[in-house]
Amino acid sequence: MRHTAKYLIKHYSFYFGGDQPGVSWAERFRACAGALVGLVLVFTVAKLLGELAGIDEWLMASLGASALLVFALPGSPMAQPWAVIAGNTLSALVGISVFLLIPEPLLAMPIAAGLSIMGMFILRCLHPPAAAVALIVVLGHISHYRYAFFPVMIDSVLLVTAGAIYSNLTGKKYPNRPK
């Protein structure tokens, strides 16, 4: 049976993002502007806090992925404050512990990511970017637990706060409230 070009395009578009929901340009700009403003605020405050405390590490690399969830998908369970803050902090703690216990990075990285995912399941704080936090810690040879609290936890709190203010000012409810 021969398929028409229209059928083939529709059938295979799934593999090229065809399953993604349509998003209005207004919502795209709202989410992008929120991420921009939110990250500028988080980075500025974190940098100032780091300078005040004399700490060079004031940023966590996976914050951009967390910002995508908080600003573009504020209704997602994985973008809620508990998921963002607890997921990132837990994953940093797990990553540091694994780094201290397992000297081989090729073994430490998957163990850190796997254990952080298990911990997030247990604590009900699944946040996909947090699994990257565990990897970042191992790759960055971070061996002090302070890193889990600053910058990871503080940056997460700042991001959630910026997300809540921005989303509510622009007509999106964040965080979700139980019904």
Side-chain angles (χ1 to χ4, degrees):
M1 176 174 161
R2 273 182 52 149
H3 295 292
T4 64
K6 185 177 178 180
Y7 168 83
L8 292 173
I9 289 169
K10 183 177 178 181
H11 181 74
Y12 289 104
S13 71
F14 169 83
Y15 298 104
F16 299 99
D19 61 335
Q20 296 291 308
V23 177
S24 72
W25 279 101
E27 179 58 20
R28 292 176 191 187
F29 286 123
R30 189 204 67 77
C32 292
L36 175 80
V37 169
L39 288 171
V40 165
L41 289 171
V42 170
F43 294 161
T44 302
V45 171
K47 177 79 169 140
L48 290 172
L49 289 174
E51 287 173 0
L52 288 173
I55 298 172
D56 290 333
E57 301 143 341
W58 53 272
L59 168 66
M60 60 175 197
S62 64
L63 208 58
S66 293
L68 178 128
L69 286 169
V70 169
F71 290 96
L73 300 168
S76 168
M78 296 178 187
Q80 299 312 301
W82 174 249
V84 176
I85 298 165
N88 283 331
T89 305
L90 169 73
S91 295
L93 291 168
V94 168
I96 294 164
S97 298
V98 170
F99 173 74
L100 292 172
L101 294 171
I102 302 172
E104 174 53 50
L106 290 177
L107 188 56
M109 286 188 297
I111 290 173
L115 288 176
S116 72
I117 293 167
M118 179 57 76
M120 287 186 282
F121 268 120
I122 291 168
L123 294 180
R124 299 176 55 97
C125 59
L126 283 174
H127 183 65
V133 172
L135 296 176
I136 291 164
V137 165
V138 173
L139 285 171
H141 300 104
I142 297 168
S143 60
H144 40 85
Y145 286 99
R146 177 202 42 78
Y147 181 83
F149 302 102
F150 183 75
V152 174
M153 186 177 75
I154 297 299
D155 284 0
S156 298
V157 168
L158 291 169
L159 183 72
V160 163
T161 302
I165 293 168
Y166 182 82
S167 291
N168 286 291
L169 286 175
T170 59
K172 291 283 183 181
K173 293 292 183 201
Y174 179 80
N176 283 347
R177 287 160 182 81
K179 294 177 183 179

